[in-house]
Amino acid sequence: MHGRNVGRIIVWVMSLSVTLGALAVLGPGVSHAQEDESLRVMKGFTEQEKEESEIVKISTERKHQIMFIMGFILLVGVIATAALGVAMVLFGKEVFVAHMVCALFSVFLSIVHAVTAVVWFFPF
């Protein structure tokens, strides 16, 4: 009995989605004049000239240098975190606080590194 209900629900959902899809395709369309007006309005927003002030202008080479330095420091932080973790587990050292500080630093720097990369270099 339970299998029949599930089957009915699946058939009902599928028929509803087909009906809604057909209505979306066959429904009232946007006239050509309205479409041209919409495109003109959108172009007004998307084609605005972007002027960067001298304060925020950074050359691509400098951006790469900053990303490299952050990546190097991040690598050092990850290695330090791993080394402290190994020292705790294998050698019984009491370095939990230092391990957590390094881990926090590494996570924070990895997030900053990723966000900076997306802001500066997406979509290439």
Side-chain angles (χ1 to χ4, degrees):
M1 226 26 176
H2 182 49
R4 283 183 159 180
N5 290 336
V6 172
R8 288 179 183 169
I9 291 172
I10 290 173
V11 169
W12 184 79
V13 168
M14 290 175 65
S15 64
L16 180 65
S17 65
V18 169
T19 304
L20 291 175
L23 288 175
V25 170
L26 301 175
V30 177
S31 71
H32 189 64
Q34 289 174 335
E35 186 175 298
D36 288 342
E37 179 68 22
S38 299
L39 289 175
R40 189 180 62 77
V41 169
M42 288 302 294
K43 283 182 182 179
F45 287 104
T46 58
E47 293 181 358
Q48 292 178 352
E49 285 189 33
K50 295 179 182 177
E51 288 188 31
E52 292 181 345
S53 70
E54 293 297 322
I55 297 172
V56 296
K57 275 190 181 176
I58 301 174
S59 70
T60 303
E61 182 180 343
R62 182 68 178 145
K63 289 178 182 178
H64 283 260
Q65 289 173 347
I66 292 169
M67 290 296 292
F68 178 79
I69 292 167
M70 282 196 315
F72 181 76
I73 295 171
L74 176 59
L75 182 62
V76 169
V78 168
I79 291 170
T81 303
L84 290 169
V86 168
M88 281 191 316
V89 172
L90 294 181
F91 304 113
K93 302 288 182 178
E94 296 292 329
V95 291
F96 180 75
V97 175
H99 172 74
M100 293 306 292
V101 168
C102 284
L104 180 66
F105 173 76
S106 298
V107 168
F108 173 75
L109 191 56
S110 67
I111 292 169
V112 170
H113 191 266
V115 169
T116 303
V118 169
V119 168
W120 278 349
F121 298 111
F122 185 81
F124 313 113

